[in-house]
């Protein structure tokens, strides 16, 4: 008989996500995804100056700070039909790329890997065997027996202290954990090293963005970084070379540790290439604009309906009509007043909580559609689109990764394997490598342009009387993000954010079709409904982020110990 | 050294979401602290927002880290509590999120990489209003004033020269 399980909250994610599944005979037969918290950014922005919106939107979410700032300035720039100086495009692209690499690295190692890698088992591994395995897989300098031994000692000490801390929510010893102690230890070693490399790439973002976690250098019309090769207060040649060094250091880790780790996990968990495909309408936008008008992009994007690569429809720019007119959001199953299906420009945000009802309304997340269909967004749709568009670095990384997987698994693994839980994770790591590859090109383009004597970084926005509408798109780490603005006499009249996790975590739409999380869970195995690790694997593969950023230290969940009341 | 603390460095880190009412108390507190006082170069004052791992490098080389955050502990709104060192919660437990990693989670990662400061203080303010909107409730604002005074006193006690700018609360 079917048994209903409810995971609330799903751990290791941003915000509050609740997943309900019907499990029958060890398989998920139906699923519901529910965002349990209301984000009302739109309400805060009404009546404000459109030039300030980005500073507010980057506070929506703890991880997506930069991306909401980028989408916001692009929305206003689209409404005003502005051109952006080349230097500003390149500086933004460097920030976008650096942030994306940081995000993918943290997701892969610190969120997702623990669903597949058993940290406790790693403490029983043979150090020499682990080092041998590491050296067989790649030339990574961090695979020395000394380094691996140090990590194992650290883990042993940490676990022996009885305070699992960072690892307390893992499913250690679960029957679905299949890696050998040595593979576990190798991955754990890179888990710790990744903490160091995520710092380096974030340092690059901090140099350009003036301040992290919230960048300060954006402006509607460009960036506020004054370029002056000689003045140390500005973006100097010395700072630019510091950035280049950081980019290079991170590259070795991505290419020699991260790509091999994901190939190894993919090969050892080959059965997971058959689960978790879900919605096969893939949507992504081109990003990294390389000209002032936003007509040329370093990374392509587009739409693939029903997983049919023959129907791949590339999007030439972020301002294409089909994109701006093809997106709607339905609230039939979301806790807002009414039952409409509308363009984000024409939405209203009137919350109306009516309780959790599987058949009616059950989420704060709206259900977006593209050309009337639900769509999956994220690194997987983006990597497939770039591959089909013939983007050479993407093709190289995809083909090489599949080759490595095939070699470890001892069987040919083709590109179809990407349409799965494990494929979604692999695509994220591949995208990380593609972003890194592109960082070098953006850096060079900036240096060359400054070398020509162009120091412009900002065009002044002018707000005409009357109403303007604009949508700002960005291919963010979790997928296509869009901000929609209606400006009336220079003030914000309406503002909507359609975030990647709205696309993926959304509930059923107007036609009652399942959203990507929901669809991807159907058919998923569940060995033990009390310990639904397999459900978490598929949900975590999307890198969920419900973007509400409630960030309270909760004294009741974690006993505070000795407290002094002031 | 002019600040009288040889080679020691401190960080005051406000955490929270400015868009969710009292959740923004940590961010507002550090903004007010740096507006009203002149801090020596050895004291860094940072609005950490809702960030996670991006905060890790800020802990580097600090002897004392003072955190200010909204802290729900079922007390009267505006109540300020102070927790020190090992009593600052470090466990990820059910709240592990690499994105909006709670500050406890950042500390756990710091512990794992030996980057934990020698002295750790958390000031928590019990929130009242957690709806979407900008601004603190009067109770939490009063709590924030207590926190600012306590932080200034604590820094001075450790020998950091914290000078008042003559600017008072506007509220």
């Amino acid at each position: 008989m079917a048994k209903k399980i409810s995971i609330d909250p799903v751990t290791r994610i941003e915000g509050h996500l609740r997943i309900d599944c019907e499990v029958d005979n060890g398989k998920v037969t139906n699923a519901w995804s529910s965002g349990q918290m209301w984000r009302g950014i739109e309400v805060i922005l009404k009546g404000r100056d459109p030039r300030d919106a980005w500073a507010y939107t980057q506070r929506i979410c703890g991880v997506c700070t930069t991306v909401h700032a980028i989408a916001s300035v692009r929305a206003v720039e689209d409404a005003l039909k502005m051109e952006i100086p080349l230097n500003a495009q390149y500086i933004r692209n460097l920030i976008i790329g650096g942030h994306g690499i940081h995000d993918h690295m943290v997701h892969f190692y610190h969120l997702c890997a623990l669903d597949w890698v058993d940290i406790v088992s790693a403490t029983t591994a043979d150090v020499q065997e682990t080092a041998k395995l590491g050296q067989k897989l790649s030339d990574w300098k961090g695979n020395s027996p000394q380094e691996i031994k140090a990590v194992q000692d650290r883990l042993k000490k940490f676990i022996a202290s009885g305070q699992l801390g960072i690892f307390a929510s893992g499913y250690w010893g679960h029957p679905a954990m299949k890696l050998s102690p040595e593979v576990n230890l190798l991955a754990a070693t890179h888990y710790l090293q990744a903490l160091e490399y995520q710092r380096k790439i974030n340092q690059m973002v901090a140099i350009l963005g003036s301040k992290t976690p919230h960048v300060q250098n954006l402006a509607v019309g460009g960036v506020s970084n004054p370029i002056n090769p000689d003045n140390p207060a500005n973006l100097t040649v010395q700072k630019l070379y510091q950035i280049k060094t950081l980019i290079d250091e991170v590259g070795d880790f991505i290419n020699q540790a991260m790509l091999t780790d994901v190939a190894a996990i993919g090969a050892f968990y080959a059965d997971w290439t058959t689960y978790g495909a879900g919605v096969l309408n893939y949507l992504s936008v081109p990003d990294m604009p390389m000209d002032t008008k936003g007509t040329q992009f370093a990374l392509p994007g587009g739409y693939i309906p029903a997983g049919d690569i023959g129907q791949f429809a590339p999007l030439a720019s972020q301002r294409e009509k089909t994109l701006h007119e093809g997106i709607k959001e339905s609230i039939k199953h979301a806790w807002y007043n009414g039952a409409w299906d509308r363009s984000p420009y024409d939405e209203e945000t009137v919350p109306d909580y009516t309780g959790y009802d599987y058949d009616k309304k059950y989420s704060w997340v709206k259900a977006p559609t593209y050309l009337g269909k639900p769509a999956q967004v994220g690194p997987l749709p983006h990597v497939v689109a770039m591959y089909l568009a013939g983007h050479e670095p993407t093709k190289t990384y995809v083909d090489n990764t599949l080759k490595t997987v095939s070699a470890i698994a001892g069987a040919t693994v083709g590109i179809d394997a990407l349409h799965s839980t494990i494929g979604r994770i692999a695509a994220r790591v591949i995208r990380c490598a593609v972003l890194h590859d592109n960082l070098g090109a953006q850096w060079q383009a900036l240096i060359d342009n400054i070398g020509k004597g162009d120091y412009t970084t900002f065009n002044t926005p002018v707000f005409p009387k009357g109403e303007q509408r604009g949508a700002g798109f960005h291919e963010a780490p979790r997928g296509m993000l869009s901000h929609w603005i209606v400006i009336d006499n220079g003030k914000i009249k309406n503002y909507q954010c359609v975030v990647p996790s709205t696309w993926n975590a959304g509930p059923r739409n107007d036609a009652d079709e399942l959203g990507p999380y929901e669809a991807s869970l159907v058919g998923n195995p569940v060995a033990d409904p009390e310990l639904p690790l397999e459900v978490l694997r598929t949900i975590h593969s999307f890198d969920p982020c419900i973007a509400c950023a409630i960030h309270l230290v909760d004294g009741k969940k974690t006993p505070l110990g000795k407290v002094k009341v002031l | 050294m002019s600040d009288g603390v040889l080679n020691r460095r401190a960080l005051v880190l406000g955490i929270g979401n400015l868009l969710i009412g009292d959740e923004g108390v940590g961010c507002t507190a550090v903004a007010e602290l740096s507006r009203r006082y002149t801090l020596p170069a050895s004291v860094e004052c940072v609005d950490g927002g809702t960030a996670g791992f991006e905060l890790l490098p800020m802990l580097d080389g600090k002897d004392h880290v003072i955190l200010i955050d909204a802290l729900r502990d079922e007390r009267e709104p505006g109540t300020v509590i102070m927790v020190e060192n090992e009593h600052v919660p470090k466990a990820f437990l059910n709240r592990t999120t690499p994105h909006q990693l709670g500050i406890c989670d950042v500390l756990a990662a710091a512990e794992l990489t030996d980057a934990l400061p020698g002295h750790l203080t958390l000031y928590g303010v019990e929130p009242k209003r957690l709806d979407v909107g900008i601004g603190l409730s009067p109770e939490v604002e009063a709590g924030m004033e207590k926190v600012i005074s306590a932080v200034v006193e604590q820094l001075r006690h450790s020998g950091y020269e914290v000078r008042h700018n003559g600017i008072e609360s506007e509220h």
Side-chain angles (χ1 to χ4, degrees):
Chain A
M1 211 191 86
K3 177 184 166 77
K4 242 183 201 147
I5 57 171
S6 181
I7 310 177
D8 177 22
V10 176
T11 53
R12 274 189 265 134
I13 65 150
E14 160 90 13
H16 288 220
L17 174 68
R18 167 177 162 178
I19 296 289
D20 288 56
C21 293
E22 237 165 44
V23 179
D24 200 1
N25 248 331
K27 274 204 184 305
V28 175
T29 50
N30 206 349
W32 294 262
S33 161
S34 168
Q36 289 285 297
M37 200 173 285
W38 181 53
R39 262 180 336 114
I41 184 72
E42 296 84 358
V43 180
I44 286 175
L45 289 174
K46 253 182 209 173
R48 293 188 190 267
D49 188 326
R51 290 173 298 184
D52 298 338
W54 68 272
Y56 291 96
T57 57
Q58 74 165 335
R59 296 252 178 191
I60 294 176
C61 166
V63 63
C64 308
T65 55
T66 306
V67 306
H68 285 297
I70 294 278
S72 182
V73 292
R74 284 181 177 171
V76 184
E77 288 157 1
D78 180 52
L80 303 179
K81 303 289 169 255
M82 291 185 75
E83 284 191 41
I84 306 306
L86 270 184
N87 288 329
Q89 298 284 42
Y90 300 143
I91 290 173
R92 286 181 184 183
N93 291 346
L94 282 166
I95 291 177
I96 289 170
H99 173 79
I101 290 168
H102 176 263
D103 195 290
H104 289 334
M105 202 181 276
V106 168
H107 174 268
F108 176 64
Y109 282 107
H110 306 113
L111 183 149
C112 168
L114 300 184
D115 291 341
W116 311 88
V117 174
D118 191 327
I119 291 289
V120 175
S121 142
T123 60
T124 66
D126 181 291
V127 169
Q128 293 301 331
E129 286 301 314
T130 307
K132 240 187 260 168
L133 172 75
Q135 283 150 16
K136 202 175 89 187
L137 290 172
S138 80
D139 295 332
W140 176 235
K141 61 182 186 210
N143 288 342
S144 70
Q146 296 81 351
E147 186 124 1
I148 290 168
K149 169 97 173 32
V151 168
Q152 194 184 41
D153 289 346
R154 189 174 287 254
L155 289 176
K156 279 182 184 164
K157 195 179 127 203
F158 207 70
I159 290 167
S161 74
Q163 193 183 354
L164 272 172
I166 200 163
F167 305 127
S169 59
Y171 284 84
W172 317 132
H174 190 284
M177 290 283 191
K178 285 189 184 154
L179 301 180
S180 69
E182 286 70 30
V183 179
N184 283 321
L185 180 57
L186 193 63
T189 304
H190 300 158
Y191 174 107
L192 281 173
Q193 290 165 353
L195 282 171
E196 197 46 43
Y197 288 95
Q198 62 91 23
R199 282 172 185 238
K200 286 188 195 288
I201 200 68
N202 197 48
Q203 203 184 334
M204 186 204 91
V205 177
I207 293 170
L208 287 168
S210 307
K211 182 176 178 261
T212 53
H214 303 104
V215 295
Q216 303 288 306
N217 69 318
L218 277 188
V220 169
V223 295
S224 60
N225 302 72
I227 294 178
N228 182 338
D230 304 319
N231 183 341
N234 298 338
L235 194 52
T236 57
V237 173
Q238 191 203 345
K239 279 185 195 162
L240 287 167
Y241 275 91
Q242 197 185 342
I243 286 169
K244 185 69 169 67
T245 307
L246 291 165
I247 294 173
D248 292 344
E249 286 178 358
V250 171
D252 288 347
F253 181 75
I254 295 171
N255 284 296
Q256 295 173 11
M258 218 171 143
L259 277 167
T260 350
D261 285 345
V262 83
I265 290 177
F268 288 119
Y269 287 102
D271 47 333
W272 280 87
T273 58
T274 59
Y275 308 128
V279 172
L280 287 173
N281 307 315
Y282 285 177
L283 182 58
S284 64
V285 282
D287 211 325
M288 307 291 194
M290 299 302 282
D291 61 351
T292 59
K293 288 195 169 84
T295 61
Q296 301 294 321
F297 294 86
L299 305 180
Y303 182 59
I304 304 146
D308 180 356
I309 55 171
Q311 288 193 63
F312 172 54
L315 286 160
S317 91
Q318 298 180 345
R319 290 183 177 171
E320 268 202 40
K321 218 173 157 188
T322 44
L323 192 59
H324 288 235
E325 293 178 2
I327 293 173
K328 281 187 173 179
E329 288 198 292
S330 158
I331 57 161
K332 185 177 175 184
H333 294 283
W335 290 311
Y336 299 92
N337 194 8
W340 42 255
D341 186 27
R342 288 183 189 167
S343 159
Y345 286 132
D346 304 319
E347 287 183 17
E348 59 201 16
T349 306
V350 185
D352 183 19
Y353 181 73
T354 46
Y356 196 107
D357 186 329
Y358 290 104
D359 301 317
K360 291 177 182 152
K361 290 180 185 262
Y362 60 90
S363 179
W364 284 114
V365 181
K366 296 166 187 170
T369 50
Y370 181 64
L371 307 176
K373 303 299 283 179
Q376 185 181 148
V377 301
L380 172 58
H382 192 211
V383 163
V384 175
M386 290 194 288
Y387 192 92
L388 294 177
H391 186 247
E392 282 305 327
T394 306
K395 288 180 75 169
T396 307
Y397 286 118
V398 168
D399 293 342
N400 286 348
T401 304
L402 291 173
K403 231 184 270 170
T404 314
V405 175
S406 304
I408 301 171
T412 308
V413 177
I415 194 162
D416 285 348
L418 286 178
H419 307 293
S420 64
T421 296
I422 207 85
R424 200 172 285 116
I425 296 167
R428 185 169 295 106
V429 175
I430 289 167
R431 185 169 185 274
C432 187
V434 171
L435 285 177
H436 179 265
D437 193 272
N438 188 246
L439 269 191
Q442 297 293 344
W443 184 86
Q444 195 58 52
L446 177 62
I447 291 279
D448 291 349
N449 197 52
I450 293 172
K452 285 179 194 153
D454 178 1
Y455 298 163
T456 315
T457 55
F458 176 69
N459 293 333
T460 309
V462 178
F463 292 87
K465 279 210 175 314
E467 189 182 286
Q468 301 91 37
R469 293 172 166 223
F473 284 81
H474 171 33
E475 188 60 29
R478 260 156 227 85
M480 188 187 79
L481 166 69
S482 55
H483 283 203
W484 305 68
I485 193 169
V486 181
I487 302 170
D488 189 31
N489 288 325
K491 297 277 179 219
I492 297 173
K493 187 179 167 190
N494 199 2
Y495 201 102
Q496 295 288 335
C497 311
V498 185
V499 307
S501 295
T502 314
W503 287 95
N504 288 338
R508 285 149 172 79
N509 64 13
D510 224 44
D512 297 328
E513 291 166 293
L514 273 62
Y517 282 12
E518 298 174 334
S520 70
L521 286 172
V522 175
N524 217 87
V526 179
D528 179 355
E530 298 298 319
L531 297 168
L533 172 62
E534 301 92 332
V535 171
L536 289 179
R537 281 179 173 173
T538 292
I539 292 297
H540 281 161
S541 74
F542 284 93
D543 194 0
C545 172
I546 304 305
C548 53
I550 267 279
H551 190 288
L552 234 48
V553 172
D554 191 331
K556 287 298 172 201
K557 269 190 193 156
T558 314
L560 285 172
K562 202 175 152 206
V563 170
K564 182 179 160 197
V565 179
L566 300 192
Chain B
M1 269 172 80
S2 63
D3 52 36
V5 190
L6 202 61
N7 292 331
R8 286 203 291 143
R9 291 168 69 202
L11 168 73
V12 184
L13 182 61
I15 302 287
N17 192 334
L18 277 176
L19 306 181
I20 307 184
D22 290 337
E23 236 285 303
V25 64
C27 309
T28 314
V30 294
E32 283 299 302
L33 184 67
S34 40
R35 194 173 72 88
R36 296 184 205 171
Y37 294 88
T38 302
L39 301 166
S42 50
V43 178
E44 213 177 315
C45 200
V46 176
D47 168 4
T50 51
F53 277 8
E54 292 97 329
L55 301 176
L56 259 181
M58 292 176 196
L59 305 182
D60 285 349
K62 302 294 187 311
D63 302 279
H64 188 184
V65 172
I66 298 175
L67 303 163
I68 309 172
D69 199 357
L71 194 145
R72 190 153 50 186
D73 201 34
E74 289 169 31
R75 296 171 195 270
E76 282 297 305
T79 305
V80 177
I81 64 167
M82 184 184 81
V83 189
E84 292 216 282
N85 299 326
E86 73 273 18
H87 299 292
V88 177
K90 291 177 205 161
F92 274 59
L93 297 176
N94 279 333
R95 302 177 46 261
T96 318
T97 84
H99 315 316
Q100 171 249 346
L101 278 168
I103 188 62
C104 312
D105 314 340
V106 174
L107 295 175
E111 187 179 23
L112 199 59
T113 50
D114 287 336
L116 215 52
H119 186 186
L120 190 60
T121 310
L122 167 69
Y123 289 98
V125 185
E126 181 79 35
K128 181 186 182 188
R129 202 176 52 81
L130 294 173
D131 311 329
V132 173
I134 296 170
L136 304 178
S137 66
E139 291 89 339
V140 168
E141 191 155 323
M144 181 191 78
E145 294 297 336
K146 276 191 203 169
V147 172
I148 293 174
S149 307
V151 169
V152 169
E153 198 184 320
Q154 196 175 21
L155 287 172
R156 283 178 176 160
H157 185 75
S158 306
Y160 294 102
E161 190 185 326
V162 181
R163 270 181 298 165
H164 198 257
N165 288 341
I167 303 170
E168 295 301 331
S169 163
E170 284 168 354
H171 310 283

